Amino acid sequence: MYKNLVTDVFFDLDHTLWDFEKNSALTFKQILAEHTPGVDLQEFLKVYVPANFAFWKLYREEKITKEQLRYQRLRTVFDTLGYPIEDATINLLADEYIHHLSSHNHLFPNTMEILAYLRPKYRLHIITNGFQEIQDKKLQNANIHTYFDQVINSEMAGVKKPNPHIFELALEMAGVAPEKSIMIGDSLEADIQGALNVGFHALHFNSDNGPVHDLCAMIQDLNEIKIYL
């Protein structure tokens, strides 16, 4: 479908290639056992996952800072669970989480296969809202950093997806026009709508079984990219 149109493929990282939920759960299993004995991991994650999603949305919309995101998502969970905890321990957990998260390197099924398939045919890049100090480590520890020419993050751009500036910066750094570019990501708002607004083609990796839409094609498995590229 896009084989003769596209020269550059831009991927989101978390929830698209790098299995954020699995790696995050493993990180919390490690640090909660050490610093907050008595907290059940599954009960914690049941509250944390939607809370993290909600606070990331606020962060993406420039309504909270990075520091507030890191603190508030944890404070909300412990308060909801009724677990008494000092701010100092929350701040310690926030630092430990960032420190250990990139040491886990689970990828979505078929990530390596699709990157190996695409690399000889297209230039590959990353556009991520994640923090710069951790995203590079994720790519390196998961051994996929060599596939990508440009890695654009929100701290570098000064804005977050879906702000058009981060996509425009990505096009500038890659030296490519939007009509020759495709964005592949999991977030309908940040990745898909954001890219389409700038003139990219887009492919929605529906990793969280979201509702059907008509903004662009939708895939359930990364191997389905071969249908389009």
Side-chain angles (χ1 to χ4, degrees), residues 22-202:
K22 181 179 287 187
N23 293 321
S24 179
L26 289 169
T27 304
F28 277 121
K29 181 180 180 180
Q30 177 182 354
I31 66 175
L32 290 177
E34 182 176 352
H35 299 291
T36 55
V39 173
D40 181 81
L41 178 63
Q42 294 310 314
E43 290 300 314
F44 178 91
L45 293 174
K46 192 183 299 182
V47 181
Y48 177 82
V49 171
N52 185 51
F53 181 85
F55 281 110
W56 261 101
K57 188 174 190 300
L58 293 174
Y59 177 66
R60 204 164 58 233
E61 295 169 351
E62 310 285 350
K63 293 177 179 177
I64 59 173
T65 65
K66 178 171 71 173
E67 289 72 24
Q68 289 171 322
L69 165 67
R70 289 180 174 180
Y71 173 82
Q72 291 292 347
R73 62 186 178 185
L74 291 174
R75 169 53 71 189
T76 296
V77 177
F78 288 113
D79 286 351
T80 301
L81 295 175
Y83 187 92
I85 186 170
E86 299 291 333
D87 280 351
T89 305
I90 287 183
N91 290 328
L92 174 62
L93 284 170
D95 290 342
E96 288 284 280
Y97 179 77
I98 295 300
H99 177 72
H100 291 289
L101 182 60
S102 60
S103 65
H104 300 285
N105 53 24
H106 290 279
L107 300 169
F108 275 96
N110 300 315
T111 292
M112 300 299 286
E113 180 178 344
I114 198 62
L115 292 177
Y117 167 83
L118 291 171
R119 181 62 182 171
K121 302 174 176 67
Y122 306 93
R123 293 189 302 168
L124 308 183
H125 316 284
I126 293 284
I127 309 177
T128 174
N129 278 351
F131 306 135
Q132 183 165 358
E133 72 265 29
I134 185 172
Q135 298 304 77
D136 288 344
K137 291 179 182 177
K138 290 177 182 176
L139 290 166
Q140 291 173 2
N141 291 345
N143 201 30
I144 58 174
H145 60 290
T146 56
Y147 287 102
F148 301 104
D149 290 350
Q150 301 294 334
V151 178
I152 298 91
N153 63 69
S154 56
E155 291 184 311
M156 174 193 302
V159 295
K160 306 163 194 70
K161 297 178 292 184
N163 188 300
H165 177 67
I166 192 171
F167 293 99
E168 291 162 354
L169 176 63
L171 293 171
E172 180 183 340
M173 290 179 63
V176 63
E179 60 268 21
K180 292 185 174 294
S181 306
I182 189 168
M183 180 72 197
I184 302 174
D186 71 290
S187 172
L188 195 57
E189 176 191 8
D191 298 316
I192 304 308
Q193 192 65 68
L196 291 173
N197 288 344
V198 179
F200 281 67
H201 304 286

Side-chain angles (χ1 to χ4, degrees), residues 209-221:
N209 295 312
V212 174
H213 60 80
D214 58 4
L215 287 174
C216 67
M218 181 185 292
I219 60 173
Q220 308 293 331
D221 186 292

